[in-house]
Amino acid sequence: MSEQKSRPPQDRPWESGWAPDTTRAPGTRRLWLAGALALATITACVTAVTVMDQESGEREPRAAEPTTLSGSAPGGLISFATPSKGGAEKAGADRPHPSPTPTSSAPTASPSPTPRKKAPKPPKASPAPSKKPKPPSSHGISIRSVNFSDRHWRVRDGYVRLDQIGSGPEQREDATFQRVAGLSDSSCYSFTTADGRYLRHRSFVLVADRNDGSSLFRQDATFCPRVWSHSGTLTLESVNYPGRFLRHRNFQLRLDPFENSHQYYADASFQIVSGLD
């Protein structure tokens, strides 16, 4: 019997003894229709993706993954993301052939070569300063007393004395020195003998001694010129004992503190003349 013959008009359901069928859940036909519509939508999407892949010549590496709508979507339906037409065309426009399948491990980028810094050029080797300054090309100098003009500095037995110089070559050589830049102060003087010794004060007495390279030796062997009233004369002041000047006493060269007296000025004044050798 057909469904329409067994079903009376809905406005008079009880006149013929008919009642609604309660064995089937209400709305089942609508659910079937919604499912059919969803399948039709999926089929259309898959077909569209396949057609676009064939047109672009590029194989899709993997199917579109279903994405769940947010909680605001009704019924919690599942929709499938569909690639945009513009994105598919852009992906296939650059490459006429399908892109290679990516490997499981990404290739490691080789580090760019670091430019090597140029090695600094070694500084030009400067000549090592010699302990003994080179003597000037002249024959040296001699130092004469002002108040005893016939006497000169002379090294005798290691001490510097004020002696009368004879005509012998040894005496003249002992009374000839080289004036060099001060060992402790280049603006001052140091004096060397013919055999390479320096004149220095030791216990405030002027002697000839070998340079031991010490700071004390450099200071003891450095004397700064001071010009006094006498024209062409000078006095020599110690570097490490300011206020003490070289003077002769009993014809012995010593380092004595300054005295404001005529005798001190005369004993501490000297003239530098040509070498006697």
Side-chain angles (χ1 to χ4, degrees), residues 39-247:
L39 289 175
T41 304
I42 294 172
T43 303
C45 292
V46 173
T47 303
V49 171
T50 304
V51 171
M52 285 189 291
D53 286 345
Q54 291 177 356
E55 289 177 355
S56 62
E58 182 179 12
R59 182 176 299 174
E60 189 72 20
R62 58 181 181 180
E65 296 179 358
T67 56
T68 306
L69 295 177
S70 61
S72 60
L77 296 178
I78 297 176
S79 66
F80 291 83
T82 304
S84 62
K85 183 176 180 181
E89 291 179 354
K90 183 179 290 186
D94 298 335
R95 297 186 298 274
H97 303 288
S99 59
T101 305
T103 58
S104 58
S105 60
T108 305
S110 59
S112 59
T114 305
R116 296 182 179 179
K117 295 182 179 179
K118 293 183 179 180
K121 295 181 179 180
K124 295 182 179 180
S126 58
S130 57
K131 293 183 179 180
K132 300 177 182 179
K134 293 182 179 180
S137 58
S138 63
H139 293 287
I141 62 168
S142 292
I143 303 175
R144 182 174 60 190
S145 172
V146 169
N147 54 349
F148 290 91
S149 58
D150 59 340
R151 291 178 179 264
H152 296 74
W153 289 15
R154 177 194 173 193
V155 177
R156 180 156 49 107
D157 298 330
Y159 293 92
V160 183
R161 298 182 57 84
L162 201 62
D163 284 353
Q164 292 178 338
I165 308 301
S167 58
E170 293 183 359
Q171 293 186 12
R172 303 181 75 84
E173 182 177 303
D174 291 342
T176 302
F177 309 95
Q178 296 291 339
R179 181 177 58 184
V180 296
L183 296 180
S184 179
D185 187 347
S186 60
S187 64
C188 300
Y189 299 153
S190 289
F191 301 95
T192 62
T193 62
D195 57 0
R197 291 179 293 174
Y198 282 84
L199 303 186
R200 65 171 291 190
H201 65 84
R202 185 171 58 197
S203 300
F204 302 118
V205 177
L206 192 63
V207 298
D209 202 356
R210 296 285 179 183
N211 185 1
D212 59 5
S214 64
S215 175
L216 178 61
F217 185 95
R218 291 193 297 270
Q219 295 180 17
D220 288 349
T222 303
F223 305 94
C224 295
R226 301 288 186 258
V227 178
W228 285 354
S229 59
H230 298 283
S231 177
T233 65
L234 78 160
T235 60
L236 297 170
E237 184 180 15
S238 171
V239 166
N240 52 348
Y241 287 94
R244 284 181 176 263
F245 297 83
L246 287 176
R247 65 168 294 185

Side-chain angles (χ1 to χ4, degrees), residues 8-9 11-20:
D11 55 350
R12 298 188 304 273
W14 294 282
E15 293 180 0
S16 59
W18 178 90

